[in-house]
Amino acid sequence: MKTLIEFIHEKQADFPFATGEFSRMLNDIGIAAKIVNREVNKAGLTNVMGFEGTSNVQGEDQKKLDVFANNEFIKALGHGGQCCAIASEENENLVTFDSKMSNNGKYVVAMDPLDGSSNIEVNVSIGTVFGIWRRKSEPGSCGTMEDLLQPGRDMVAAGYVIYGSSTMLVYSTGKGVNGFTYDPSVGLWLLSHPDIQIPEGGNIYSINEANYIYFPEGVKQYIKYCQGDDPATNRPYTTRYIGSLVSDFHRNMLRGGIYMYPGNKKNPDGKLRLLYECNPIAYLAEQAGGKASDGFRRILDVEPKSLHQRSPLFVGTKHMVDTAEYLMAKNSPDFNPQA
Ligand code: AHG
Ligand code: MN
Ligand code: MN
């Protein structure tokens, strides 16, 4: 099987601007992911579970593994020198590096170092999500806010790591989605899932339905649609919800389905963060032939205004997201049936 490094080098030729820096950065992410994987696998044996005693900018308690994973990815990207700034769920402000090499780096990274961290204690799959953009500011000084506040459509790569029954690294550089499974016996990422495509015929819907009464009318109607009786369209669908975006999306991308985290009465923009959760997942979904929306518009076209901005997310098999979008529009006050 092809290794991640072989694959990255082979694909480098696809990019006329490639100088090897981008490849090096992807490789560094792969190395940090191995280190995080090692700790995740030891959860329960060593003292890595539980709370760090601090909270992040969202006011969420940080777990020890949130902090560990954050440090590992920042260290790897800082050491590599291709990345000039990072936006992370665990850091209120931009992370920049006090080094000439990093200040000359061409790229910026937005990341959720540990996604689904509430699942650590119960041995359920968790993940890491990342998106990569080219910087807008001139190289030679620290990366800026402007470098990170770019729409998802301008990403040059995105991916995730899933620490599950096996650990996988799944990423795209805009030419399809490829998945690598980690073989711990040799310490290598091996290409196990080339050119992933979201199946059209899947029947999974994933949503935290306990919030039903707070959902917008369009979402309530879409849930009822999923539960409808129509064998011709594979309905009723089946519900699967882990509570780790990465794991829920990974399953739906391989099997076919829709993941939704809508806005609700308490949080109109939902819970997920645009830069480092919605955008990378949306990029992968589109690259796999699927679709990602905030209910009304393409996620990748949303112009970000702040690092930790939230957005509703509807992502997965295209026709499912289309139907959800239709019902959202139909139930919005400015619905135009002619449009
Ligand atoms: P994180 O652990 O990075 O804070 O993310 C948790 C997110 C996401 O992974 C998941 O899909 C969602 O929270 C689940 O939220 P609910 O518990 O509200 O369903
Ligand atoms: Mn998350
Ligand atoms: Mn997280």
Side-chain angles (χ1 to χ4, degrees):
M1 266 192 214
K2 198 165 282 176
T3 67
L4 176 66
I5 298 177
E6 283 167 350
F7 186 85
I8 289 173
H9 285 294
E10 199 178 289
K11 294 292 163 191
Q12 197 178 307
D14 287 352
F15 297 95
F17 56 82
T19 57
E21 291 172 66
F22 181 65
S23 302
R24 164 101 202 252
M25 191 170 48
L26 280 177
N27 193 36
D28 288 341
I29 290 174
I31 292 169
K34 287 186 201 177
I35 296 169
V36 172
N37 179 58
R38 191 184 63 202
E39 290 307 300
V40 167
N41 272 302
K42 283 193 296 196
L45 293 175
T46 56
N47 188 26
V48 291
M49 298 212 292
F51 293 102
E52 180 74 17
T54 48
S55 55
N56 65 18
V57 61
Q58 272 86 216
E60 300 157 342
D61 290 330
Q62 289 177 309
K63 300 265 174 135
K64 287 181 190 166
L65 271 176
D66 283 324
V67 174
F68 179 85
N70 193 38
N71 289 341
E72 286 307 316
F73 282 100
I74 291 175
K75 239 194 296 176
L77 291 165
H79 188 251
Q82 292 78 32
C83 167
C84 65
I86 299 172
S88 164
E89 180 184 7
E90 305 305 334
N91 294 86
E92 180 168 1
N93 297 314
L94 270 192
V95 177
T96 53
F97 305 97
D98 188 17
S99 103
K100 197 170 167 208
M101 193 165 67
S102 294
N103 287 344
N104 280 322
K106 286 185 197 151
Y107 299 97
V108 292
V109 175
M111 66 169 179
D112 177 354
L114 209 72
D115 172 68
S117 49
S118 66
N119 283 322
I120 297 167
E121 258 82 5
V122 289
N123 220 336
V124 167
S125 301
I126 51 181
T128 295
V129 196
F130 61 90
I132 304 175
W133 288 257
R134 274 190 273 184
R135 75 188 293 174
K136 295 190 97 174
S137 59
E138 283 303 315
S141 54
C142 290
T144 65
M145 197 63 107
E146 189 203 8
D147 295 325
L148 261 311
L149 297 183
Q150 300 190 55
R153 62 171 179 265
D154 291 336
M155 272 188 282
V156 291
Y160 60 77
V161 183
I162 176 168
Y163 312 96
S165 47
S166 58
T167 294
M168 284 186 71
L169 177 86
V170 176
Y171 81 98
S172 173
T173 53
K175 289 185 172 13
V177 179
N178 292 285
F180 299 79
T181 301
Y182 184 57
D183 182 344
S185 66
V186 286
L188 293 171
W189 298 102
L190 300 171
L191 179 62
S192 52
H193 295 62
D195 196 19
I196 299 172
Q197 291 287 314
I198 301 186
E200 281 291 310
N203 68 341
I204 297 172
Y205 76 102
S206 310
I207 186 166
N208 188 343
E209 224 165 312
N211 295 322
Y212 187 87
I213 56 166
Y214 304 116
F215 287 149
E217 183 56 29
V219 172
K220 288 182 176 171
Q221 288 188 14
Y222 184 67
I223 291 173
K224 288 299 159 213
Y225 172 85
C226 295
Q227 296 169 346
D229 177 23
D230 179 19
T233 52
N234 229 349
R235 290 179 293 141
Y237 294 158
T238 188
T239 305
R240 293 287 182 273
Y241 191 76
I242 296 169
S244 297
L245 169 67
V246 170
S247 317
D248 279 306
F249 174 72
H250 182 73
R251 180 203 53 238
N252 290 5
M253 180 166 69
L254 295 183
R255 293 254 191 274
I258 182 169
Y259 173 94
M260 292 171 277
Y261 208 108
N264 58 51
K265 284 192 186 125
K266 288 186 287 186
N267 304 301
D269 291 325
K271 176 182 184 187
L272 302 176
R273 276 58 56 112
L274 176 65
L275 255 63
Y276 43 82
E277 291 182 313
C278 302
N279 267 335
I281 295 294
Y283 185 87
L284 292 165
E286 288 196 6
Q287 285 296 319
K291 179 169 175 167
S293 165
D294 70 355
F296 299 98
R297 54 195 171 149
R298 184 181 180 222
I299 287 283
L300 297 182
D301 284 338
V302 178
E303 297 287 338
K305 300 206 164 31
S306 63
L307 286 187
H308 300 286
Q309 163 175 352
R310 294 176 196 264
S311 168
L313 178 65
F314 299 73
V315 62
T317 300
K318 187 173 173 307
H319 71 84
M320 293 177 165
V321 179
D322 283 342
T323 305
E325 259 188 345
Y326 170 77
L327 291 172
M328 289 295 286
K330 192 177 163 198
N331 287 283
S332 84
D334 48 5
F335 176 62
N336 174 2
Q338 306 305 324

